[in-house]
């Protein structure tokens, strides 16, 4: 017995495990960190990895970044001015970074300072810097007295850097800044012993870069950038799932898809092979990921008992109201009767004629006969009401409002066989209608295709109709002639008629009543709210290898790597291929290393050395690298100070190992005309 | 003017209060998009050895794109001439012909195959 129990539990757990659910993690607003005096007085460098996905901020003395937030701003819409209220509507607070607790509710108001991987919107950047410095607790007046290490895009355009420097120096009054490229920081400083030659593959949120490093020098000329990244994968997967489950289109949100990318998505070492495996039914069943969407069970959940109870309650209230009304009426009638009887008494005691008439007119009566009639009527009415009250009080307990009958009540049959034959008949009729509908639909489809019998027949009739034969055109003499237009019309003669649909509904209703088992099973509300993610978990990340899947004409990642290698000298190619370093958020995808290795071996010469290394903790390496950069003694050499900034132009910056290369922006062509 | 005052109050202490983005004619700043930046950068007479953001784009793919089913992602040898959707087998075709127009159009835009010529 025990064993059985155990097995049941295991099976139950397995079933449970198969079904995943979205966690829908929400951001927790950042705390405001304390700004200690040691930070304040020693002008400790501040390291900001300003990524297009997540911004990471920390002091150079920190072990890990203090702040990590999405580089996003949400500007809630202004509330409309209402007519009744006098007060001015408050402009809602701007939500920045982790203030945005639920991204999905703000999706349409989101803004970022980035255009692709370059900062272009500096007003937004200003808000994000405000957020950053506020949450670090900085309280010095009119300046942020710390040198800044800031990451920027590979080959960041001069104009973008210029605006950034202007913002930093003129708005925040920082003493100095050093710009660097995120992936170069990770390569040069986040590793114990970086080799002199490497091919960096940086897989970002907006873009991917393939950067050759030769003799510790970044080879800017041969670097290539793929304009595809995590964001493209997320939107691609989002759209696939929405199209697969149109009914749940709104429940499939971008953040949920992002969660899928982080949890179940993987890169297939061999995509074709993986696809072939999925065609196998068993493999499909074993590997499919079922994800339960949240759902609320509909009103059906009320049990029959509850429904009955509710109805009973309603009926009781009704009878109570009725009883009260009756009693009121009774009291009213009795009062009137009393008054009339008094009048009668007065008359009986022989009152004056004038007086009698006066009283009678008061009661809107003409003469004594009418008075007597009215008294009689009232007596009868009172008697009736009394009887009704009596009857109601007797019934009240027993009365049960009849159960509302379904449209087609359950018929009673003498025997099971009669029921069966009736059911079979109904089923047959239903099936007939269904097939008729199907046939019609098929015909409708066929008629518009060439090379189908129906289509060809239609064309034949049309051409015959169009043919003009002189003399013997007797078309239209008989009414049936016109029927030919019906057969060639879009509907192919007859369409799903109303009566037929009604009949179908009726039959289904009857079947549901008499044979509920057929319809009830299989309609599980929970199952209806499940997403089945199979090939999609490989298909979406495959986008970085096959950008053409989303209509881009760019080469895929492996092809770009091959292209970049081909641009380098043959002896360098060997060195680069033997040290490929992968970094960036997407590098976490399982299977990436095998895939790159396989693709690279296939394009490299036979038996040449190929090594691929995925950086550890690749989400944070660029921040760590930038921090290590500040810990090297000579980092202050590479700081762009305010003086230099003013002297050498606003776009100038100091080059270093992990930085971009500086090309001064040339003056616009001015044609000098000698006079 | 109250809103202006509020703004000043909200301004964190570490900011230089006089700083403000503005154009010469004090209009609200319009930020150039990346595309604009690239084109204006390209227009300048750079020395020959210079590389910049716009010049390191990945090359176009030299390999013929493989065809995958729009619905399932499986290799797709067939294309439906009516909807232009690709499909892998007859089961897929059966589900495909029942799809409403918006879904088929959605699949095509996802693949970027909306041009009439393609």
């Amino acid at each position: 017995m025990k064993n059985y129990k155990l097995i049941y539990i295991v099976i139950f757990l397995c079933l449970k495990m198969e079904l995943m659910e979205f966690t829908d993690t929400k951001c927790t607003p950042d705390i405001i960190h304390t700004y200690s005096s040691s930070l304040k007085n020693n002008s400790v460098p501040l390291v900001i990895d300003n990524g297009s996905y997540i911004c990471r901020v920390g002091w150079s003395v920190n072990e890990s970044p203090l702040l990590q937030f999405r580089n996003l701003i949400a500007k809630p819409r202004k509330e409309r001015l209402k007519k009744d209220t006098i007060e001015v509507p408050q402009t809602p607070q701007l939500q920045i970074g982790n203030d945005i607790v639920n991204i999905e509710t703000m999706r349409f108001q989101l803004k970022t300072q980035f255009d692709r991987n370059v900062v272009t919107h500096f007003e937004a950047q200003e808000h994000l810097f405000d957020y950053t410095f506020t949450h670090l607790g900085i309280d010095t007046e009119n300046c942020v007295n710390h040198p800044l290490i800031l990451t920027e895009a590979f080959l960041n355009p001069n104009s973008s850097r210029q605006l950034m420097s202007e913002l930093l120096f003129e708005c925040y009054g920082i003493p100095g800044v050093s710009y660097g490229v995120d992936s170069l920081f990770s390569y040069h400083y986040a590793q114990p012993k970086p080799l002199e030659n490497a091919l960096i593959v940086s897989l970002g949120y907006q873009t991917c870069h393939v950067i050759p490093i030769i003799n510790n020098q970044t080879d800017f000329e041969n670097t290539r950038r793929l304009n595809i990244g995590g964001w493209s994968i997320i939107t691609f997967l989002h759209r696939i799932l929405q199209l697969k489950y149109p009914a749940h289109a709104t429940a499939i949100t971008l953040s949920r898809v992002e969660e899928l990318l982080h949890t179940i998505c993987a890169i297939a070492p061999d995509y074709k092979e993986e696809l072939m495996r999925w065609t196998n039914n068993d493999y499909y069943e074993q590997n499919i990921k079922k994800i339960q969407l949240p759902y609320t069970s509909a009103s059906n959940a009320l049990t029959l008992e509850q429904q009955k109870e509710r109805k009973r309650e309603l009926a009781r209230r009704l009878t109570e109201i009725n009883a009260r009304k009756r009693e009121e009426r009774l009291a009213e009638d009795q009062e009137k009767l009393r008054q009339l009887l008094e009048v009668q008494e007065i008359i009986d005691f022989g009152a004056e004629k004038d007086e009698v008439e006066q009283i009678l007119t008061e009661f809107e009566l003409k003469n004594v006969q009418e008075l007597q009639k009215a008294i009689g009527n009232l007596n009868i009415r009172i008697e009736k009401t009394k009887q009704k009250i009596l009857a109601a009080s007797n019934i009240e307990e027993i009365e049960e409002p009849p159960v509302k009958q379904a449209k087609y009540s359950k018929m009673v049959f003498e025997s099971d066989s009669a029921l069966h034959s009736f059911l079979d008949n109904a089923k047959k009729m239903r099936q007939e209608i269904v097939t008729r509908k199907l046939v019609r639909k098929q015909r409708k489809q066929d008629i518009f295709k060439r090379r189908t019998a129906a289509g060809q027949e239609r064309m034949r009739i049309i051409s015959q109709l169009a043919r003009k034969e002189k003399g013997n055109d007797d078309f239209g003499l008989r009414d049936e002639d016109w029927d030919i237009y019906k057969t060639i019309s879009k509907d192919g003669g007859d369409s799903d008629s109303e009566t037929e649909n009604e009949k179908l509904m009726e039959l289904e209703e009857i079947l549901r009543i008499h044979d509920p088992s057929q319809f009830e099973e299989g309609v599980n509300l929970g199952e209806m709210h499940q997403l089945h993610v199979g090939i999609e978990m490989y298909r979406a990340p495959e986008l970085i290898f096959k950008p053409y899947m989303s209509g881009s004409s760019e080469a895929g990642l492996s092809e770009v790597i091959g292209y970049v290698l081909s641009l380098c000298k043959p002896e360098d190619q060997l060195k680069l291929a033997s040290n490929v370093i992968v970094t960036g958020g997407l590098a976490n995808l399982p299977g990436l290393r095998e895939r790159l290795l396989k693709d690279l071996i296939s394009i490299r010469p036979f038996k040449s050395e190929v090594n691929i290394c995925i950086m550890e903790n690749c989400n944070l390496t660029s921040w760590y690298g930038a921090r290590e950069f500040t810990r090297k003694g000579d980092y202050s050499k590479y700081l762009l100070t305010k003086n230099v900034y003013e002297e050498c132009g606003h776009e100038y910056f100091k080059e270093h190992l992990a930085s971009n290369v500086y090309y001064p922006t040339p003056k616009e062509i001015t044609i000098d005309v000698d006079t | 003017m109250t809103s202006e005052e509020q703004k000043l109050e909200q301004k964190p202490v570490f900011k230089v209060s006089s700083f403000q983005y503005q154009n010469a004619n004090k209009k609200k700043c319009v930020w150039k998009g990346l595309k604009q930046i690239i084109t204006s950068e390209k227009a300048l007479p750079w020395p020959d050895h210079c590389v910049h953001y716009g010049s390191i784009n990945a090359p176009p793919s030299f390999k013929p794109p493989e065809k995958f089913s729009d619905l399932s992602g499986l290799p797709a040898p067939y294309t439906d001439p009516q909807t232009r959707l690709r499909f892998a087998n007859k089961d897929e075709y059966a589900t495909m012909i029942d799809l409403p127009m918006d879904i088929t159009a959605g699949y095509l835009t996802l693949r970027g195959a909306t041009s009439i010529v393609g």
Side-chain angles (χ1 to χ4, degrees):
Chain A
M1 268 315 271
K2 254 189 182 169
N3 263 340
Y4 275 117
K5 240 182 194 170
L6 205 72
I7 288 168
Y8 277 129
I9 289 170
V10 168
I11 289 172
F12 180 73
L13 280 178
C14 286
L15 287 174
K16 269 273 169 205
M17 290 277 278
E18 260 178 37
L19 212 60
M20 296 175 38
E21 258 174 61
F22 289 114
T23 51
D24 286 334
T25 20
K26 295 201 166 122
C27 296
T28 42
D30 282 317
I31 54 160
I32 293 182
H33 293 272
T34 48
Y35 185 44
S36 65
S37 54
S38 66
L39 288 173
K40 195 172 182 173
N41 300 330
N42 297 335
S43 67
V44 175
L46 182 61
V47 180
I48 302 180
D49 174 14
N50 197 23
S52 56
Y53 179 54
I54 284 181
C55 181
R56 301 158 185 103
V57 183
W59 302 104
S60 73
V61 290
N62 290 140
E63 264 320 297
S64 54
L66 284 181
L67 301 172
Q68 288 193 45
F69 53 87
R70 293 286 303 269
N71 253 333
L72 290 175
I73 299 178
K75 201 174 188 176
R77 245 179 264 133
K78 268 185 197 166
E79 274 179 45
R80 286 264 179 86
L81 197 70
K82 277 179 194 153
K83 271 180 188 169
D84 314 335
T85 50
I86 312 148
E87 60 203 284
V88 185
Q90 281 194 324
T91 31
Q93 278 264 291
L94 209 61
Q95 294 180 15
I96 305 168
N98 282 338
D99 289 348
I100 312 167
V101 176
N102 188 354
I103 278 190
E104 276 320 313
T105 57
M106 306 300 277
R107 183 58 73 186
F108 295 107
Q109 281 96 283
L110 288 184
K111 248 188 186 176
T112 172
Q113 73 270 47
F114 283 90
D115 189 349
R116 215 182 281 165
N117 60 341
V118 175
V119 181
T120 57
H121 199 284
F122 283 86
E123 224 174 289
Q125 182 65 66
E126 190 184 333
H127 286 303
L128 279 149
F129 275 142
D130 285 352
Y131 177 89
T132 312
F133 297 138
T134 313
H135 282 84
L136 287 174
I138 291 170
D139 55 4
T140 46
E141 239 170 90
N142 290 345
C143 72
V144 176
N145 199 13
H146 298 275
L148 220 62
I149 314 298
L150 189 66
T151 61
E152 59 176 9
F154 193 87
L155 286 180
N156 194 17
N158 280 347
S159 61
S160 168
R161 189 178 307 109
Q162 177 187 340
L163 287 165
M164 184 66 94
S165 294
E166 278 171 18
L167 179 67
L168 290 173
F169 285 115
E170 280 159 41
C171 182
Y172 298 101
I174 59 153
V177 62
S178 184
Y179 295 106
V181 178
D182 45 1
S183 45
L184 297 179
F185 271 135
S186 342
Y187 179 71
H188 289 293
Y189 297 102
Q191 302 189 101
K193 267 186 194 159
L195 295 177
E196 286 195 337
N197 302 293
L199 191 70
I200 301 177
V201 178
S202 158
L203 308 174
Y205 186 60
Q206 293 281 357
T207 52
C208 293
H209 286 93
V210 180
I211 310 167
I213 297 205
I214 296 162
N215 296 326
N216 258 341
Q217 291 292 312
T218 315
D219 187 354
F220 287 94
E221 211 170 316
N222 295 332
T223 295
R224 284 297 175 269
R225 180 193 59 240
L226 248 172
N227 295 318
I228 222 167
W231 165 247
S232 339
I233 295 178
I234 291 166
T235 44
F236 186 67
L237 185 57
H238 180 231
R239 207 62 196 116
I240 295 179
L241 289 179
Q242 275 192 332
L243 289 168
K244 192 172 171 187
Y245 298 100
H248 304 311
T250 44
I252 302 167
T253 59
L254 280 171
S255 358
R256 283 183 174 159
V257 173
E258 207 174 302
E259 200 182 315
L260 287 184
L261 177 63
H262 292 312
T263 49
I264 62 168
C265 279
I267 283 177
D270 187 327
Y271 190 58
K272 271 269 169 69
E273 210 173 86
E274 187 65 41
L275 289 184
M276 283 301 109
R277 251 180 267 155
W278 279 94
T279 54
N280 182 343
N281 245 346
D282 293 335
Y283 185 84
Y284 182 91
E285 289 297 331
Q286 277 166 22
N287 291 283
I288 191 92
K289 293 273 192 293
K290 292 178 183 173
I291 300 144
Q292 184 70 57
L293 286 171
Y295 67 97
T296 45
S297 40
S299 57
N300 277 8
L302 275 180
T303 59
L304 214 64
E305 200 50 46
Q306 277 171 316
Q307 279 176 0
K308 256 187 194 164
E309 184 57 41
R310 200 176 273 185
K311 267 181 195 162
R312 228 174 283 149
E313 176 74 15
L314 215 70
R316 216 189 55 228
R317 232 181 289 159
L318 257 174
T319 49
E320 263 170 30
I321 290 170
N322 278 342
R324 211 181 312 132
K325 264 188 190 164
R326 257 180 241 128
E327 249 149 53
E328 271 168 22
R329 209 189 308 145
L330 186 68
E332 212 174 274
D333 286 351
Q334 275 169 337
E335 174 63 21
K336 192 146 188 206
L337 184 68
R338 200 181 51 78
Q339 283 173 358
L340 290 179
L341 282 176
E342 262 173 32
V343 175
Q344 173 102 43
E345 246 171 67
I346 293 167
I347 295 167
D348 285 350
F349 276 106
E352 293 287 320
K353 210 178 177 187
D354 288 351
E355 214 177 324
V356 172
E357 264 178 24
Q358 203 190 332
I359 296 168
L360 282 179
T361 42
E362 241 175 65
F363 284 92
E364 293 172 7
L365 294 167
K366 275 175 191 159
N367 47 35
V368 184
Q369 276 86 30
E370 234 172 73
L371 173 70
Q372 253 135 28
K373 209 175 164 187
I375 290 172
N377 277 347
L378 270 178
N379 267 327
I380 294 166
R381 224 158 71 193
I382 289 168
E383 194 55 39
K384 262 191 191 165
T385 322
K386 272 183 183 165
Q387 265 173 13
K388 263 190 201 162
I389 291 172
L390 205 69
S393 63
N394 276 345
I395 297 168
E396 210 166 343
E397 298 310 312
I398 322 155
E399 195 180 20
E400 171 118 332
V403 180
K404 200 191 160 201
Q405 281 291 332
K407 204 171 170 190
Y408 308 100
S409 57
K410 190 160 182 164
M411 281 176 256
V412 185
F413 292 94
E414 293 133 22
S415 65
D416 266 3
S417 62
L419 173 71
H420 273 299
S421 64
F422 169 75
L423 276 183
D424 284 343
N425 203 17
K427 270 184 208 164
K428 217 160 117 197
M429 268 152 63
R430 179 176 166 269
Q431 197 52 49
E432 260 170 33
I433 297 178
V434 170
T435 35
R436 221 179 302 150
K437 281 182 124 173
L438 265 178
V439 166
R440 212 172 285 143
K441 197 172 140 203
Q442 182 65 42
R443 221 179 100 79
K444 211 166 154 183
Q445 277 165 2
D446 283 352
I447 219 164
F448 286 101
K449 282 184 202 155
R450 295 175 182 199
R451 300 204 196 98
T452 55
Q456 279 177 345
E457 174 65 11
R458 181 166 172 265
M459 289 318 288
R460 193 186 64 79
I461 295 171
I462 289 176
S463 65
Q464 219 167 33
L465 280 173
R467 199 173 55 206
K468 241 187 193 161
E469 277 178 37
K470 273 180 191 166
N472 54 355
D473 185 9
D474 56 355
F475 184 86
L477 282 182
R478 285 162 297 133
D479 278 346
E480 298 90 81
D481 286 350
W482 299 104
D483 287 343
I484 205 154
Y485 284 107
K486 273 191 202 163
T487 55
I488 60 169
S489 76
K490 261 187 196 170
D491 300 324
D494 50 350
S495 55
D496 297 358
S497 67
E498 199 80 347
T499 46
E500 206 175 47
N501 283 340
E502 265 169 33
K503 183 82 189 156
L504 189 66
M505 296 243 285
E506 192 184 315
L507 284 169
E508 271 173 6
E509 184 78 9
I510 288 171
L511 283 173
R512 196 169 296 136
I513 288 165
H514 291 91
D515 193 9
S517 61
Q518 259 207 337
F519 286 86
E520 297 300 309
E521 65 183 3
V523 187
N524 182 341
L525 212 59
E527 254 168 53
M528 269 164 54
H529 286 79
Q530 274 176 16
L531 304 183
H532 292 204
V533 182
I535 296 178
E536 289 87 357
M537 57 187 158
Y538 294 101
R539 187 178 170 193
E542 187 68 16
L543 194 64
I544 54 172
F545 292 95
K546 298 180 169 57
Y548 57 76
M549 289 204 302
S550 69
S552 163
S553 60
E554 275 184 341
L557 183 62
S558 300
E559 214 183 328
V560 172
I561 292 174
Y563 180 77
V564 168
L565 284 177
S566 73
L567 292 176
C568 301
K569 284 180 242 151
E571 66 266 26
D572 289 339
Q573 287 185 20
L574 276 175
K575 290 179 202 160
L576 292 177
S578 63
N579 187 28
V580 178
I581 307 282
V582 189
T583 179
L586 284 180
N588 286 322
L589 282 171
L592 179 67
R593 190 175 172 278
E594 291 80 358
R595 173 56 177 274
L596 281 177
L597 198 62
K598 188 186 149 277
D599 283 2
L600 212 57
I601 287 172
S602 71
I603 54 170
R604 294 297 303 154
F606 183 60
K607 280 197 172 168
S608 69
E609 197 186 353
V610 173
N611 268 319
I612 291 175
C613 170
I614 296 199
M615 274 204 187
E616 264 175 64
N617 201 358
C618 32
N619 287 325
L620 288 178
T621 43
S622 41
W623 187 84
Y624 286 133
R627 186 196 60 187
E628 288 311 312
F629 173 72
T630 64
R631 290 183 178 181
K632 299 253 182 269
D634 60 345
Y635 96 94
S636 49
K637 247 188 359 196
Y638 305 115
L639 273 184
L640 168 73
T641 58
K642 186 152 190 180
N643 286 337
V644 182
Y645 158 78
E646 274 162 0
E647 210 170 285
C648 301
H650 290 187
E651 57 175 37
Y652 180 75
F653 72 102
K654 291 222 170 154
E655 288 178 20
H656 55 85
L657 195 57
S659 78
N660 278 318
V661 58
Y662 176 62
Y663 301 114
T665 308
K667 293 249 161 49
E668 295 209 35
I669 311 167
T670 47
I671 302 160
D672 292 329
V673 183
D674 288 342
T675 46
Chain B
M1 278 290 121
T2 46
S3 62
E4 203 109 306
E5 273 171 2
Q6 254 182 355
K7 240 185 185 173
L8 282 177
E9 266 174 48
Q10 279 172 2
K11 216 165 187 178
V13 280
F14 48 76
K15 280 174 96 170
V16 179
S17 50
S18 60
F19 181 81
Q20 231 172 7
Y21 280 112
Q22 55 188 1
N23 286 358
N25 43 7
K26 288 209 170 177
K27 265 186 189 169
K28 212 182 161 192
C29 240
V30 182
W31 303 104
K32 269 189 186 175
L34 183 60
K35 266 190 185 165
Q36 277 176 298
I37 293 174
I38 294 172
T39 41
S40 57
E41 206 175 42
K42 234 184 219 166
L44 295 170
W46 295 90
D48 283 343
H49 65 279
C50 285
V51 266
H52 32 85
Y53 190 89
S55 63
I56 57 164
N57 272 318
S61 183
F62 299 127
K63 291 177 187 162
E66 289 162 273
K67 286 173 183 167
F68 297 106
S69 160
D70 288 299
L71 278 84
S72 66
L74 295 172
Y78 317 109
T79 306
D80 176 29
Q82 260 188 321
T83 57
R84 314 288 310 154
L85 285 186
R86 293 172 184 160
F87 59 98
N89 49 43
K90 65 173 192 242
D91 300 331
E92 265 176 38
Y93 182 71
T95 51
M96 203 181 67
I97 51 173
D98 285 338
L99 289 179
M101 277 283 279
D102 57 328
I103 303 285
T104 55
Y107 275 119
L108 289 178
T109 35
L110 183 66
R111 177 150 56 85
T114 39
S115 87
I116 311 157
V117 189

